[in-house]
Amino acid sequence: MTAEMHAEPGPTPAEHPIDVVPTDEATDETPAIEDFKDRFLDRELSWLRFNERVLELAEDDSLPLLERARFLAIFTSNLDEFFMVRVAGLKRRIATGLAVRAASGLMPRDVLERIWTTARELSERHAAVLRDDLVPSLAEEGIQLVRWADLEPDEQQQCKTLFRDRIFPVLTPLAVDPAHPFPYISGLSLNLAVVVRNPRTGKEHFARVKVPSNFDRFIPLGNARFVPLEDVISARLKRLFPGMEVVEAHTFRVTRNEDLEVEEDDAENLLAALEKELLRRKFGPPVRLEVEESITPAVLELLVSELDISSEEVFRLPGPLDLRGLHGIADLAREELKYPAFLPSTHARLAEVESAAPVDVFKAVRRRDVLLHHPYDSFSTSVQRFIEQAAADPHVLAIKQTLYRTSGDSPIIDALIDAAEAGKQVLVLVEIKARFDEQANIRWARKLEQSGCHVVYGLVGLKTHCKLALVVRDEPDGIRRYAHIGTGNYNPKTSRLYEDLGLLTTNPEICEDVAHLFNNLSGWSRNAQYNELLVAPDSVRSGLVELVDAEIEHHRAGLPARIRIKANSIVDEQLIDALYRASRAGVPVELLIRGICALRPGVPGLSDNITVRSILGRFLEHSRVFWFAGGGDPSAWIGSADMMHRNLDRRVEALVRLPGEESKRAVTELLDLAYDDDTQAWLLEPNGEWRRNEGTVHLQAALIERQRHGHRPVSSAPNRR
């Protein structure tokens, strides 16, 4: 799970009760939707509630122990990114005078203050889970996270030897005095604030020692015992300051603004501008200071002063800080303390039958569309094989693909390079502005260009977030196009951790739409009309609103009407108001939202017919599904777009209408299981708090079990030509 994922909410202030304008009894008028002044929950506070649900998984003693440790690490990474991007953005708007009231009715300063309060409470709870629960539980299983004082003499000697031979040569103590200014503290680095005393003069001096990030965060001592790296360094500080007395040492960590701002007026220089901005990212202003609770007032005052940070942004926590390193503990080879082993299977339509040779993907997709559900369906034997076979097939004339994020050793990249070197026309749209993957994508873009691929960066002012691949093949009956439209990135590694859907099809209308979209992205075409796709920023919002309004009309006509949506987030006010209209008209609306939800369900007179649930677990629920009863003729759409302003206004996104009754039935079955009352989930209350139900079925475990028994909740649909 990345910075995009992964507890019953604690005492978060901020979400005040909804302010309902009462009905005028004299005229018996129903208040307008706009009269519900507090109908939107705050997006930033909703995100904190999401990370609280991640923390609750770490607290859940019914989960395997090492998986709980991993959820603690995920919580840390999530909160880091939240401060680097969202909190940094709030501070920037306040500083530049661009602070405007949010849809929730809160001003940025109000949101910021509530973020500090809530994030501090969650961080303290997070540290307490490790100290009071995980560490004792791990010790019972023979895995010990210990501090320096707990080490045996032989273990201390082992650490001293490691320090002398490997750690000491890497360290650079930086003094602070009139001749040495306060050093720059890089974002998310772990540091030691050290006070030393000159024994001759009695004068004290401050120094900073950076804890190197290229060593294990928790040093293995043997026998499954681990000690934090900073403890080893702290115990040997005398080696760094010979002739001085070490008075005190405390760990601290700074989070900085790492959101990028790139001017895109000159598209030709976008690559250079982005590289320049990536260098500046390292020097963003601080937005959070984490310190070990043992820190003395004098040292803390110095850090706060030198970093120019406010007292509200200081988080005093029990050590150790930076629990991202718990991923290393979670990776220990103790399978009995992890989720049961799971191996994705090849989709039945793409599986080898008698021959040892891989199935011909083109032949399989010509027979019928293939709807994939990752990670239950293997990415490598479906999407990856599709691209690899296209690269090797002499009948393939062209390959077009979008790349938003991919893995460091991507076989997709290698296949595209092979195709270009074989003389095929290869167009790759690389989104070099994918947050925190910019540097890697710049590298891929240059490598692809050098191999002969046509590389473009999309449209000025928009991120290209859609997940599309198009293969053009010369066949005996003429040119045929094959398309893949997905909800997740072309990344073989995250495909094993992210839950996503994808459609492989030769449907002529869909392939024609995908071809037009690629032309829009690579050339001057501005065709915004599509038959089977909704494309942002032109038609995703308006298309979804039309589909919602159509359900209202179906309900009024006495026909079947229902709306089901599965997404990562819902923030867009227009779409939320459309769902409120549907609810007020009597249409049942069921939302499955993993992360941010700005919609208030269950408010009398506004959202009585809306329910919101959230499912978190082993895999990151990442697919986006939009399902409509359609008056008895259901339609289902999948794609890359969440219901957020950035997705609908500032990104190129694509949703595809699933062709064929079998595909729609498969998605319906998946949603039925997710929405079943007995399926474990968190339920959103009208006041913005989440309550965990007591269901006995876990969605992901149930889908794994179905896969093992050969039952496919997501199936294949016959091609309709």
Side-chain angles (χ1 to χ4, degrees):
M1 297 178 193
T2 69
E4 279 190 29
M5 169 159 187
H6 308 127
E8 263 184 50
T12 306
E15 300 294 2
H16 42 282
I18 190 162
D19 178 17
V20 180
V21 174
T23 300
D24 184 339
E25 295 182 3
T27 59
D28 197 28
E29 292 181 353
T30 302
I33 288 177
E34 294 75 15
D35 291 335
F36 292 81
K37 301 301 183 184
D38 295 334
R39 66 189 185 277
F40 302 115
L41 297 169
D42 187 80
R43 64 155 291 163
E44 315 301 351
L45 301 177
S46 180
W47 186 93
L48 285 174
R49 299 290 180 88
F50 153 68
N51 212 29
E52 188 172 28
R53 298 196 291 281
V54 175
L55 180 57
E56 187 171 334
L57 290 174
E59 296 170 330
D60 187 345
D61 59 12
S62 71
L63 297 184
L65 192 55
L66 290 181
E67 304 298 347
R68 295 173 63 196
R70 192 178 304 282
F71 282 120
L72 283 181
I74 291 169
F75 175 94
T76 301
S77 300
N78 284 351
L79 198 59
D80 287 345
E81 183 172 339
F82 178 72
F83 271 88
M84 288 189 293
V85 178
R86 302 304 309 177
V87 174
L90 280 171
K91 289 189 66 177
R92 185 168 58 243
R93 290 199 293 277
I94 292 170
T96 56
L98 299 177
V100 296
R101 194 176 300 277
S104 63
L106 297 174
M107 292 296 291
R109 169 59 63 180
D110 300 325
V111 176
L112 200 55
E113 290 175 353
R114 296 177 186 191
I115 285 173
W116 287 329
T117 300
T118 306
R120 182 174 292 102
E121 291 170 351
L122 291 177
S123 296
E124 291 169 354
R125 181 170 150 194
H126 177 248
V129 173
L130 177 68
R131 180 192 60 214
D132 301 334
D133 190 350
L134 264 292
V135 167
S137 298
L138 287 167
E140 291 177 5
E141 296 292 343
I143 301 170
Q144 296 180 303
L145 302 183
V146 296
R147 304 307 297 262
W148 182 264
D150 303 319
L151 299 185
E152 301 294 335
D154 62 322
E155 292 174 326
Q156 290 191 355
Q157 186 56 50
Q158 176 186 344
C159 290
K160 291 175 182 178
T161 302
L162 175 69
F163 180 88
R164 181 194 65 210
D165 296 344
R166 296 186 55 79
I167 300 174
F168 177 75
V170 176
L171 301 179
T172 304
L174 296 174
V176 176
D177 60 24
H180 301 86
F182 191 86
Y184 176 79
I185 310 297
S186 54
L188 300 187
S189 64
L190 195 62
N191 303 271
L192 288 169
V194 184
V195 176
V196 296
R197 181 188 297 122
N198 187 322
R200 290 179 301 173
T201 65
K203 187 175 182 180
E204 293 185 348
H205 303 274
F206 177 85
R208 172 261 192 151
V209 177
K210 182 176 180 178
V211 177
S213 59
N214 47 1
F215 287 85
D216 288 330
R217 176 70 187 84
F218 294 95
I219 300 297
L221 302 170
N223 298 320
R225 281 167 62 84
F226 301 85
V227 64
L229 174 58
E230 65 270 23
D231 282 19
V232 176
I233 297 172
S234 295
R236 304 300 291 162
L237 284 173
K238 288 183 178 180
R239 290 286 309 274
L240 285 173
F241 304 98
M244 303 290 280
E245 297 174 357
V246 177
V247 179
E248 55 185 301
H250 312 280
T251 55
F252 71 96
R253 184 171 180 256
V254 175
T255 310
R256 293 185 176 276
N257 177 352
E258 298 202 15
D259 201 14
L260 294 181
E261 296 180 89
V262 182
E263 294 295 331
E264 301 181 66
D265 293 336
D266 187 353
E268 292 183 3
N269 294 324
L270 179 58
L271 215 62
L274 187 60
E275 288 181 309
K276 182 178 179 181
E277 188 65 22
L278 284 169
L279 293 175
R280 289 174 49 196
R281 167 185 276 178
K282 299 178 182 179
F283 302 96
V287 294
R288 179 181 56 164
L289 171 63
E290 297 169 276
V291 298
E292 203 162 8
E293 60 185 3
S294 61
I295 196 167
T296 59
V299 174
L300 178 57
E301 183 179 350
L302 175 66
L303 292 176
V304 168
S305 173
E306 293 291 347
L307 291 168
D308 190 23
I309 202 164
S310 69
S311 59
E312 294 94 341
E313 296 168 301
V314 177
F315 288 66
R316 297 185 69 136
L317 302 167
L321 304 179
D322 189 8
L323 295 184
R324 293 176 300 172
L326 287 174
H327 279 298
I329 303 299
D331 288 337
L332 291 174
R334 293 288 302 274
E335 302 309 312
E336 76 278 13
L337 301 179
K338 299 181 181 181
Y339 287 123
F342 168 70
L343 185 65
S345 62
T346 299
H347 190 287
R349 298 291 175 188
L350 304 175
E352 299 83 358
V353 182
E354 297 176 358
S355 170
V359 162
D360 183 333
V361 176
F362 300 112
K363 185 176 181 180
V365 177
R366 277 199 305 274
R367 283 197 297 263
R368 58 177 61 209
D369 298 329
V370 178
L371 185 60
L372 301 161
H373 193 197
H374 310 299
Y376 313 102
D377 291 321
S378 168
F379 180 90
S380 62
T381 60
S382 56
V383 180
Q384 180 181 320
R385 182 176 290 172
F386 171 57
I387 301 299
E388 289 174 338
Q389 288 188 354
D393 189 334
H395 299 290
V396 169
L397 305 177
I399 303 172
K400 300 183 181 185
Q401 183 157 7
T402 61
L403 288 178
Y404 190 75
R405 302 185 198 275
T406 190
S407 58
D409 52 350
S410 173
I412 299 283
I413 297 284
D414 293 339
L416 294 172
I417 289 173
D418 290 345
E421 291 177 346
K424 296 176 171 61
Q425 293 291 315
V426 179
L427 170 74
V428 187
L429 196 145
V430 180
E431 182 45 78
I432 58 173
K433 301 185 295 300
R435 183 176 287 147
F436 302 125
D437 277 347
E438 300 95 345
Q439 198 67 59
N441 285 6
I442 288 172
R443 253 192 336 268
W444 292 131
R446 289 188 166 142
K447 185 176 181 180
L448 288 162
E449 282 181 324
Q450 290 166 3
S451 72
C453 297
H454 301 295
V455 178
V456 296
Y457 308 123
L459 303 176
V460 173
L462 298 174
K463 278 187 181 181
T464 303
H465 189 247
C466 51
K467 324 298 183 184
L468 304 173
L470 185 69
V471 172
V472 182
R473 194 168 186 265
D474 191 4
E475 299 183 352
D477 56 349
I479 297 294
R480 191 190 304 268
R481 290 182 287 208
Y482 299 76
H484 174 265
I485 304 101
T487 68
N489 297 307
Y490 291 103
N491 188 323
K493 290 184 177 178
T494 60
S495 70
R496 297 192 289 269
L497 302 172
Y498 284 28
E499 178 271 341
D500 275 302
L501 293 165
L503 175 70
L504 283 168
T505 184
T506 62
N507 180 285
E509 290 81 11
I510 293 175
C511 290
E512 182 76 10
D513 281 353
V514 172
H516 280 315
L517 181 49
F518 271 112
N519 289 341
N520 287 347
L521 293 171
S522 65
W524 292 110
S525 170
R526 284 301 296 136
N527 168 51
Q529 300 299 315
Y530 302 92
N531 294 318
E532 302 300 319
L533 297 184
L534 295 176
V535 177
D538 295 314
S539 61
V540 170
R541 179 188 285 111
S542 60
L544 290 175
V545 169
E546 287 177 10
L547 287 164
V548 170
D549 288 341
E551 291 304 294
I552 296 173
E553 294 306 314
H554 294 319
H555 179 76
R556 288 172 177 164
L559 299 173
R562 180 180 295 270
I563 299 168
R564 285 176 160 183
I565 296 175
K566 179 182 184 296
N568 295 296
S569 301
I570 175 167
V571 173
D572 186 75
E573 292 83 12
Q574 290 186 45
L575 277 172
I576 291 175
D577 278 348
L579 295 174
Y580 285 151
R581 288 199 305 273
S583 172
R584 285 159 64 97
V587 178
V589 178
E590 296 170 312
L591 303 180
L592 186 63
I593 307 297
R594 172 173 58 87
I596 303 168
C597 182
L599 178 149
R600 289 185 189 264
V603 175
L606 177 69
S607 53
D608 311 71
N609 294 304
I610 301 179
T611 57
V612 181
R613 34 173 60 206
S614 179
I615 292 178
L616 305 181
R618 174 177 188 165
F619 307 127
L620 183 88
E621 292 289 328
H622 192 250
S623 65
R624 293 89 166 182
V625 180
F626 302 85
W627 184 97
F628 303 90
D633 182 18
S635 66
W637 303 71
I638 66 169
S640 58
D642 278 308
M643 293 168 287
M644 304 180 73
H645 305 132
R646 69 184 187 191
N647 299 90
L648 304 179
D649 297 322
R650 302 191 298 276
R651 291 185 175 186
V652 179
E653 306 275 11
L655 303 180
V656 61
R657 180 178 10 220
L658 292 179
E661 295 303 317
E662 196 173 345
S663 287
K664 290 187 286 188
R665 282 197 302 271
V667 170
T668 302
E669 183 181 347
L670 176 65
L671 296 176
D672 284 344
L673 181 58
Y675 293 125
D676 190 282
D677 289 339
D678 205 29
T679 297
Q680 293 180 21
W682 283 262
L683 311 178
L684 181 59
E685 304 287 354
N687 64 358
E689 295 192 1
W690 291 85
R691 171 180 56 84
R692 197 170 186 181
N693 73 355
E694 300 299 327
T696 61
V697 176
H698 193 286
L699 175 68
Q700 296 175 357
L703 292 175
I704 289 174
E705 196 62 25
R706 289 184 178 199
Q707 179 238 36
R708 286 174 176 158
H709 289 85
H711 176 76
R712 305 194 52 77
V714 175
S715 188
S716 305
N719 246 329
R720 297 185 177 273
R721 298 186 57 81

